[in-house]
Amino acid sequence: MKLLACHIDNFGKLNNVTLQFSDGLNVINEANAWGKSTLAAFLKAMFYGLDSKKSAGAFDKERVMYRPWQGGAFGGEVDFEIDGKKYRISRSFGKTDKADEFHVYDLRTNIECFDFTEDVGTEIFGLDSASFKRSIYIAQNDCASEASDGINAKLGNLAENTDDINNFESANQQLKDMLNQLTPDRVTGSIKKRKNYITQLTQELRSFEAASTGLEGIAQKEQQVSEQIQELHRVRKNHADALVAASEDSRRKALYAQYDALCQEVVEKEQKRDAYKALFPVGVPAEAEFQTQVQNINKMGEAQAAARGYEFSIEEMEVYSKLQEMFEQKIPSDAEIDAALQMFVEIDKQKEEIARQESKLSVYHTDLAQVPMEPKFSGSIAYMVFLFVGIGTAFLGLCATLAWYYKWFPMIDSHWVFLAAVILGACGAAFGIIGGVLGMRVGKDKETWQAMMDAEQETIEGKARTLTDTINSMKTDVRKVYSTIGKFLATYHVYCDVAEYQSKIYGLKGQVQEYLRLTDKKQHYEKQNAVYKELRSKLVNFVRLYQLDLDEDVNYSLNQLLTKVTEYQMAEAAYQEAYKKRADFEAKQDKAFWTKQAFCPYTLDELHAWIAEADEKLEELKAAKSQYTKQMEDLQEQLDLRDEKETELKEMQLAQEKDMRKYHLLKLTQEFMQQAKEQFTARYMEPIAQAFGKYYGLLTGDDKKNWMIDANINIKIKEQGELRETHWLSAGYQDLIGVCMRLALVDAMYQEEKPFLILDDPFVNLDQEKVKAGNELLLTVGKEYQIIYFTCHDSRSPKL
């Protein structure tokens, strides 16, 4: 797909501008404020219309930004070719979207067609407006690479059904917001808030258990006192009736008896008081001490709840034990793990070199196998012919000589036989001499050829031996590196095959992080548990100081102690009251009168004594009943509050369970969505990485792969031996990387029909050397793409 021409009626500061575009690189080199960025925005607006929202960094919406400065029609036309057909897009813009007009014409007929809708950009490029501006459109000072959902969908060849991947970010953000509202890990999360409140309610309900037990005990005592009061009323009424009939002379006896009763009462109250006092050999605790212990109980509950929050699960305990054993000697640092991982890079390089050398060695072996066999030398056949003919002729001459000498053929004249023998002998000698000469020449040729072949074979074998020694040395180095890695892993009790070394080292980093996390959690647990034990020890010492054992329910133990203190105080009050009554009696009555011998027997006095004793006991019992009644009312108010708290706790627990289920479902949903997205995007990582490496090498001249692209299409650059985020780099280097990444994304997205590219001076932040490389890059990319390139300086303008 390519642009053919454009005409701008009015757009921003541009008015009545017509441009023609050619294949490859189109350079528009104009001064600042000419309207280059406005022209780039116009081309984008022809395909996508004007954005209704204000873009980042812009002072206003596009519709306001590019409204004609001089007034008039707002819009223009652009001609383009796609799939062998030529079209013209015509747009005019009004104050709102509804006032916009859009038309598409077939340039073969100049008749309006309906091959495209107003969303022509999405239909042609398979990208929304935002994704178009993050890939095909590279603006000045906005070269950063960032894969949008639309780009991910296009990369995954899902341009016809992009709802799932396009909606990922919005769905993921909604999940994040919902999780943040529910999270149990932040104090602002509803689950965390409710958990803290449930813990508070649980502690408060435990404190009410002692009130329930105390209410039952006091109710029994109050019942007993009520029964005693009724009995005393009946006894006193009987005594009062008897007094009516008593005589005056019995009054003296009655006074005496009354006094004696007062004395007895003082003794009894004193004994009862002393009995209670004996329970406190170190003194009666003050109310302030009780308040302090109640506060300690609350703090102890808080510490215990906090400790339980940090307590290890069974799985965490097992993991911690294994990791503690693994890191008993030391914990590896990130630098050590990275150094171990770097060894694998060196091993891969060494293996590649070994493979290259072995390939070279196989060539030497092939050369040795191809050393030629002994050739046929010229003259070797003639030599054999003359040699065998000479031997045969000489043999015939010998036979003729023997025939002549022994007269084997008497019928033939012996002179002819002799003559024949001489001739045959001479011929044999001649042929033999000729064959010998030829044989000597062939032998010399063979020696020369053999010497050459031996020298060539020795040269090749020497090179092969040297190369074999080099390969063996390199393999030994690789084995040494593997041995070093194995020892490193053995330090942490990791034993495995060499093939698993790299994955084990990657896993080691995660194990270190988990070990540090569990160690921190364990320290928090021990700290809170120590606080709990210290407070419990103080409470135990306080209760034991007054000779009581601490019950599992510390509140019950404390209330038990408080009850004994109350009983002691009641006994002390009763003693003081009895002592005062006796003193008042002595002050008001004449002792000489009631100490005289009475005329009447003690009947009347006994009655008075009984009545007085009954009255005193009634007062005492009434006072006790009043105190018990007040305590019961106070405890009942606490129990009423307990019922409200229990109802509230149940409601909170049900709501907490519901929110926890919802939280875990949302968490799982988020994890599955992220895994699905990473699996989806990982499919096109390799073509993007290859394309990025090509463009990065053209711009920087660096063919080393000192960068890495992850499944989210984020890139990191290795600096000082460590992969780092690009935002730490200079603005120029960020632009350089961004341009390479944008081009790589376009390569990966459009493997068949190539789109045009719009570059609005992206090299403005590069240094002189990188600008030169950038110009070369534009020329190279222009061979494959149509580029509309805007610049304002000749140094950034490639020489076409």
Side-chain angles (χ1 to χ4, degrees):
M1 186 244 174
K2 64 180 180 181
L3 296 176
L4 301 176
C6 74
H7 175 76
I8 304 174
D9 292 327
N10 267 326
F11 196 84
K13 69 182 297 181
L14 298 177
N15 170 253
N16 195 25
V17 175
T18 299
L19 293 174
Q20 302 292 328
F21 303 109
S22 61
D23 293 343
L25 180 61
N26 294 261
V27 179
I28 300 177
N29 186 352
E30 297 292 345
N32 289 329
W34 178 84
K36 299 184 295 298
S37 297
T38 302
L39 176 56
F42 170 82
L43 294 176
K44 192 273 295 181
M46 286 296 100
F47 288 93
Y48 286 96
L50 294 174
D51 289 344
S52 59
K53 296 181 179 180
K54 185 171 67 174
S55 60
F59 64 89
D60 209 335
K61 301 177 182 177
E62 285 187 348
R63 192 171 298 275
V64 177
M65 288 176 61
Y66 299 116
R67 186 174 296 158
W69 293 12
Q70 63 282 353
F74 185 16
E77 301 172 343
V78 63
D79 297 344
F80 67 97
E81 180 179 347
I82 183 170
D83 295 331
K85 297 181 66 176
K86 297 180 180 180
Y87 297 90
R88 172 173 294 164
I89 296 175
S90 174
R91 286 187 189 265
S92 63
F93 304 105
K95 291 184 178 181
T96 63
D97 294 347
K98 295 181 179 179
D100 293 351
E101 291 186 8
F102 170 81
H103 302 281
V104 178
Y105 300 94
D106 188 337
L107 291 182
R108 291 178 302 176
T109 62
N110 289 334
I111 298 176
E112 185 174 2
C113 66
F114 302 94
D115 292 355
F116 303 102
T117 67
E118 289 188 21
D119 198 15
V120 58
T122 302
E123 294 167 359
I124 292 177
F125 303 109
L127 299 173
D128 56 23
S129 175
S131 301
F132 177 86
K133 290 193 290 185
R134 306 306 298 172
S135 55
I136 296 172
Y137 181 99
I138 306 178
Q140 179 177 327
N141 293 322
D142 186 21
C143 302
S145 62
E146 180 180 356
S148 65
D149 289 341
I151 292 175
N152 286 332
K154 180 64 178 175
L155 288 170
N157 294 322
L158 298 178
E160 295 180 0
N161 185 14
T162 61
D163 287 345
D164 288 344
I165 190 65
N166 280 336
N167 293 330
F168 171 82
E169 291 298 334
S170 60
N172 191 48
Q173 186 59 47
Q174 290 180 12
L175 286 175
K176 284 183 179 178
D177 294 340
M178 295 171 71
L179 285 170
N180 286 337
Q181 290 176 1
L182 294 172
T183 178
D185 302 322
R186 298 182 183 176
V187 294
T188 57
S190 62
I191 293 177
K192 182 67 174 179
K193 291 179 179 178
R194 193 181 293 110
K195 180 182 178 182
N196 292 338
Y197 190 59
I198 287 174
T199 301
Q200 180 182 345
L201 286 176
T202 303
Q203 293 298 325
E204 290 178 3
L205 287 174
R206 288 179 181 173
S207 67
F208 291 133
E209 293 176 3
S212 179
T213 304
L215 179 61
E216 293 177 1
I218 293 174
Q220 291 177 357
K221 292 180 180 180
E222 194 271 348
Q223 180 64 28
Q224 293 173 359
V225 170
S226 297
E227 294 173 355
Q228 291 175 8
I229 290 174
Q230 292 178 359
E231 179 63 22
L232 281 175
H233 275 300
R234 187 186 63 80
V235 171
R236 187 183 186 288
K237 185 177 182 300
N238 292 335
H239 293 334
D241 292 340
L243 282 175
V244 175
S247 60
E248 179 65 25
D249 55 37
S250 64
R251 181 173 175 272
R252 184 181 293 107
K253 184 179 179 181
L255 290 174
Y256 183 84
Q258 185 180 358
Y259 177 72
D260 184 68
L262 291 174
C263 292
Q264 289 296 327
E265 185 179 3
V266 170
V267 172
E268 288 175 5
K269 300 301 183 185
E270 185 176 16
Q271 290 175 349
K272 189 174 182 180
R273 181 204 64 181
D274 292 343
Y276 280 113
K277 190 174 182 180
L279 297 175
F280 305 98
V282 295
V284 180
E287 183 178 356
E289 293 182 89
F290 279 98
Q291 294 298 327
T292 299
Q293 297 309 316
V294 169
Q295 292 175 1
N296 286 343
I297 288 175
N298 293 332
K299 292 179 182 178
M300 187 173 70
E302 293 173 359
Q304 187 179 33
R308 287 175 180 169
Y310 290 112
E311 191 172 5
F312 279 176
S313 64
I314 296 175
E315 292 79 5
E316 288 179 324
M317 180 60 72
E318 292 177 355
V319 171
Y320 181 75
S321 298
K322 291 179 181 178
L323 294 178
Q324 191 176 38
E325 181 180 355
M326 180 182 292
F327 302 123
E328 61 182 349
Q329 295 183 5
K330 61 174 289 191
I331 300 175
S333 63
D334 288 344
E336 290 175 319
I337 295 176
D338 291 340
L341 290 173
Q342 184 62 31
M343 293 182 186
F344 288 102
V345 177
E346 301 301 326
I347 287 174
D348 290 340
K349 292 180 180 178
Q350 198 77 330
K351 286 182 177 179
E352 290 177 1
E353 182 63 21
I354 289 172
R356 191 178 68 80
Q357 296 298 335
E358 287 179 340
S359 176
K360 187 175 180 181
L361 180 61
S362 66
V363 173
Y364 287 151
H365 288 313
T366 302
D367 291 342
L368 286 174
Q370 293 178 352
V371 174
M373 301 296 293
E374 180 178 336
K376 293 182 180 181
F377 295 92
S378 61
S380 59
I381 297 176
Y383 151 70
M384 296 300 295
V385 171
F386 278 104
L387 183 60
F388 283 113
V389 171
I391 293 173
T393 305
F395 178 76
L396 292 175
L398 177 61
C399 291
T401 301
L402 293 174
W404 171 76
Y405 184 75
Y406 289 106
K407 307 296 184 178
W408 288 347
F409 305 101
M411 72 292 298
I412 301 174
D413 190 354
S414 60
H415 293 289
W416 290 104
V417 173
F418 178 75
L419 179 60
V422 171
I423 292 172
L424 290 170
C427 289
F431 281 115
I433 291 171
I434 293 172
V437 171
L438 291 174
M440 290 176 63
R441 191 177 69 179
V442 170
K444 186 174 182 180
D445 289 342
K446 285 184 177 181
E447 289 177 0
T448 302
W449 177 85
Q450 188 63 45
M452 290 174 61
M453 294 301 100
D454 291 343
E456 182 178 356
Q457 184 173 1
E458 183 177 357
T459 300
I460 295 174
E461 289 177 345
K463 292 181 179 179
R465 284 193 300 272
T466 301
L467 192 55
T468 300
D469 293 341
T470 301
I471 291 172
N472 292 335
S473 175
M474 294 170 69
K475 288 181 177 180
T476 300
D477 293 340
V478 171
R479 286 193 294 271
K480 288 180 179 179
V481 175
Y482 274 127
S483 176
T484 301
I485 296 173
K487 292 178 181 178
F488 174 75
L489 289 173
T491 303
Y492 309 104
H493 304 288
V494 177
Y495 305 97
C496 59
D497 294 335
V498 172
E500 298 180 275
Y501 277 4
Q502 192 168 15
S503 64
K504 292 295 184 182
I505 291 177
Y506 276 114
L508 191 60
K509 182 173 288 188
Q511 289 171 326
V512 168
Q513 293 174 351
E514 179 64 8
Y515 178 65
L516 294 176
R517 183 186 73 81
L518 291 176
T519 300
D520 182 68
K521 186 175 181 180
K522 182 174 180 291
Q523 290 173 351
H524 280 85
Y525 168 77
E526 291 174 348
K527 179 180 178 181
Q528 294 298 328
N529 198 38
V531 172
Y532 168 76
K533 289 182 178 179
E534 181 183 359
L535 292 172
R536 184 175 176 82
S537 177
K538 289 181 179 179
L539 187 60
V540 169
N541 293 335
F542 174 77
V543 176
R544 287 180 178 173
L545 182 64
Y546 301 103
Q547 299 183 350
L548 281 177
D549 292 327
L550 186 66
D551 192 83
E552 284 297 325
D553 189 337
V554 292
N555 279 305
Y556 175 76
S557 298
L558 201 61
N559 279 321
Q560 188 180 21
L561 181 59
L562 180 59
T563 299
K564 291 189 177 184
V565 171
T566 301
E567 291 174 346
Y568 165 76
Q569 291 174 345
M570 290 171 59
E572 175 66 24
Y575 166 74
Q576 293 297 334
E577 184 178 358
Y579 184 84
K580 183 176 181 300
K581 285 181 179 180
R582 189 183 68 176
D584 292 341
F585 184 87
E586 291 176 343
K588 293 178 181 179
Q589 301 295 334
D590 183 6
K591 188 175 182 180
F593 172 74
W594 51 266
T595 54
K596 289 180 180 181
Q597 185 177 1
F599 293 100
C600 294
Y602 300 102
T603 306
L604 191 59
D605 292 337
E606 289 176 357
L607 291 173
H608 278 295
W610 294 338
I611 291 174
E613 182 178 358
D615 289 337
E616 291 173 357
K617 287 182 178 181
L618 280 172
E619 291 297 325
E620 178 180 345
L621 290 173
K622 287 178 181 180
K625 181 179 179 180
S626 176
Q627 190 168 5
Y628 285 142
T629 301
K630 186 177 185 309
Q631 290 182 4
M632 289 172 61
E633 290 174 352
D634 293 339
L635 292 173
Q636 188 60 50
E637 289 180 0
Q638 295 183 37
L639 294 179
D640 292 341
L641 181 60
R642 178 197 64 182
D643 295 338
E644 296 176 3
K645 296 290 185 181
E646 286 179 343
T647 301
E648 186 178 5
L649 177 61
K650 290 179 181 178
E651 294 174 352
M652 286 292 175
Q653 289 173 337
L654 289 175
Q656 189 76 335
E657 290 176 0
K658 181 179 179 181
D659 279 358
M660 284 300 296
R661 286 195 299 271
K662 183 178 180 181
Y663 178 81
H664 288 306
L665 285 174
L666 290 173
K667 197 72 175 177
L668 287 173
T669 301
Q670 186 183 49
E671 291 174 359
F672 289 150
M673 283 179 59
Q674 186 63 33
Q675 291 174 7
K677 180 178 183 255
E678 290 176 358
Q679 292 173 0
F680 175 79
T681 56
R683 292 186 300 175
Y684 47 77
M685 282 173 55
E686 183 59 27
I688 291 176
Q690 291 179 357
F692 176 84
K694 177 182 69 176
Y695 294 125
Y696 184 80
L698 287 174
L699 264 180
T700 64
D702 186 0
D703 59 351
K704 295 180 181 179
K705 191 176 179 181
N706 58 351
W707 45 269
M708 182 180 72
I709 298 175
D710 61 21
N712 292 321
I713 317 302
N714 295 322
I715 186 165
K716 294 182 180 179
I717 300 295
K718 182 176 289 186
E719 289 288 340
Q720 302 296 324
E722 184 176 352
L723 289 170
R724 304 180 187 278
E725 301 288 347
T726 56
H727 62 261
W728 296 106
L729 305 176
S730 66
Y733 216 87
Q734 290 184 46
D735 287 354
L736 180 150
I737 292 171
V739 170
C740 293
M741 195 62 191
R742 295 280 189 94
L743 295 176
L745 286 173
V746 174
D747 276 2
M749 289 189 294
Y750 302 97
Q751 299 181 6
E752 296 180 2
E753 182 80 9
K754 301 294 185 182
F756 60 84
L757 301 178
I758 300 176
L759 279 68
D760 185 9
D761 214 354
F763 303 138
V764 68
N765 292 319
L766 301 187
D767 57 33
Q768 184 176 357
E769 180 180 355
K770 294 294 189 301
V771 167
K772 182 178 180 182
N775 291 337
E776 294 297 326
L777 175 65
L778 290 175
L779 294 173
T780 301
V781 176
K783 297 176 182 178
E784 188 175 0
Y785 292 87
Q786 183 189 40
I787 302 175
I788 314 302
Y789 175 64
F790 302 94
T791 186
C792 63
H793 201 280
D794 290 337
S795 65
R796 297 194 296 277
S797 178
K799 307 302 179 184
L800 300 176

